[in-house]
Amino acid sequence: MAQAARNSWGSGLLNKIAIGAAAIGVAGYCLNSSMYTVGGGERALIFDKTRNGTRDFVVKPGTHFLIPFLQYPIIYDVRTTPFQFRSGDNAQSKDLQRVLVTLRVLYRPVKSKLPTIYRRLGLEYHTVWNSFGVEVLKAVVANYDASELISRRELVSNEIRMQLAKRAEEFDILLDDVAITHLSFTNDFIHAVEQKQVAHQLAEQAKFVVAKNEQEKLAKIIMAEGESEAARLIAEAMASGPGYLALRKIEALRDIVEELSQSRNVVYVPSNTNILMSMPAH
């Protein structure tokens, strides 16, 4: 009897311990399921199954509670995020040149409008850029010639930004920045531009040659006029008397003396002495 009582008491104690452990485990699981954390740069919505939709308030960063099994959090990243899309192969400029434009945008959602964004677009709301973004990009590109898209690139980027920002507001999205990261044309257009540049360089070279010839011609005219004027002055000087010729002889002799004085192979012999006659005979 005593042994049976002890066995019964031990069995009851084990059952109580097991029930207590199970209760603690269930309580811990429920507590853990009722807590969630929203990180920095994030916001959360609460989806309530009893209402079959999200609550209208936005949860800020921190640790929060909800009703397990009936509610769960939907986390949104509200930091500025980059997204890149292309205009497609059928985009054309004003002069009907095919253009391929790649655009990079920096965007973020309006925090207070997250419930509306979730109901309209869901978590992957950034895919909306592939619809109206491409449409706006093609419309702006069609307003400019191919050459203007290159030379006025900043102006084109600003116009795209204004139109994209206006359209993004309709979807409760804020646009922080827009940049054209890539701009390319067909091979035929690139070849035509290269040929135009070569023709321009040849034209500039021809202009330089013409200008050079004109300068040389002008120099020859000036030189001829100078020689003519010099000949006239010489003729007048010679007509006035023999003084000019004497002056020219003196100048010529002076030049000869200066040249001979600088030569080492010149020996000066006195004019009044016969060196050969004074040499001894052998």
Side-chain angles (χ1 to χ4, degrees):
M1 286 291 291
Q3 184 65 29
R6 284 196 297 271
N7 291 338
S8 177
W9 181 81
S11 169
L13 180 61
L14 291 175
N15 290 335
K16 291 179 181 180
I17 293 174
I19 293 173
I24 293 173
V26 171
Y29 176 78
C30 291
L31 180 62
N32 183 64
S33 299
S34 64
M35 298 176 61
Y36 67 98
T37 301
V38 180
E42 295 179 341
R43 293 294 186 273
L45 302 176
I46 300 299
F47 188 88
D48 195 336
K49 294 181 180 179
T50 60
R51 301 179 57 179
N52 197 26
T54 58
R55 295 294 185 93
D56 294 330
F57 58 86
V58 179
V59 182
K60 296 181 179 181
T63 301
H64 307 275
F65 294 91
L66 49 72
I67 302 174
F69 311 111
L70 296 179
Q71 297 176 340
Y72 62 87
I74 301 171
I75 306 297
Y76 270 92
D77 188 347
V78 296
R79 293 170 293 189
T80 299
T81 305
F83 186 78
Q84 186 169 284
F85 58 92
R86 304 171 65 182
S87 61
D89 297 333
N90 56 347
Q92 290 185 341
S93 62
K94 188 176 181 180
D95 53 353
L96 302 181
Q97 294 292 335
R98 288 201 312 169
V99 186
L100 178 60
V101 183
T102 302
L103 199 70
R104 189 264 300 148
V105 297
L106 297 178
Y107 70 96
R108 53 192 169 89
V110 179
K111 299 174 185 178
S112 60
K113 299 293 184 178
L114 285 177
T116 304
I117 294 176
Y118 180 76
R119 285 192 289 266
R120 294 179 62 186
L121 305 173
L123 278 173
E124 303 295 328
Y125 67 96
H126 61 270
T127 56
V128 73
W129 292 112
N130 290 325
S131 58
F132 74 81
V134 175
E135 177 186 347
V136 168
L137 190 55
K138 290 181 179 180
V140 174
V141 167
N143 294 330
Y144 295 89
D145 293 336
S147 58
E148 292 178 333
L149 291 175
I150 299 174
S151 60
R152 308 175 69 182
R153 184 166 179 165
E154 185 176 356
L155 178 63
V156 175
S157 180
N158 290 335
E159 184 174 347
I160 293 174
R161 177 175 181 173
M162 288 188 295
Q163 295 198 24
L164 283 179
K166 185 177 180 180
R167 292 293 302 274
E169 288 180 357
E170 301 175 4
F171 297 91
D172 301 314
I173 299 174
L174 298 177
L175 188 63
D176 291 334
D177 187 52
V178 172
I180 298 175
T181 59
H182 182 73
L183 180 64
S184 62
F185 301 90
T186 61
N187 293 330
D188 293 339
F189 178 78
I190 295 174
H191 180 69
V193 171
E194 292 175 351
Q195 293 297 322
K196 183 178 180 180
Q197 291 177 347
V198 171
H200 178 72
Q201 292 175 356
L202 292 176
E204 291 296 326
Q205 184 177 0
K207 289 181 181 178
F208 173 77
V209 172
V210 171
K212 182 180 178 182
N213 292 336
E214 290 292 333
Q215 291 296 327
E216 291 178 352
K217 181 180 178 181
L218 181 61
K220 289 179 180 179
I221 293 173
I222 294 174
M223 185 179 297
E225 291 177 351
E227 292 177 352
S228 176
E229 181 66 17
R232 186 183 64 81
L233 294 175
I234 291 172
E236 291 179 355
M238 292 179 66
S240 63
Y244 178 74
L245 291 177
L247 177 62
R248 295 295 294 174
K249 288 180 180 179
I250 293 172
E251 291 178 349
L253 290 173
R254 184 183 61 189
D255 294 338
I256 294 172
V257 170
E258 288 181 356
E259 184 176 355
L260 292 176
S261 65
Q262 296 175 359
S263 177
R264 297 181 180 181
N265 298 324
V266 177
V267 178
Y268 295 94
V269 179
S271 60
N272 57 354
T273 304
N274 191 349
I275 298 178
L276 294 177
M277 294 300 292
S278 62
M279 293 179 63
H282 295 283

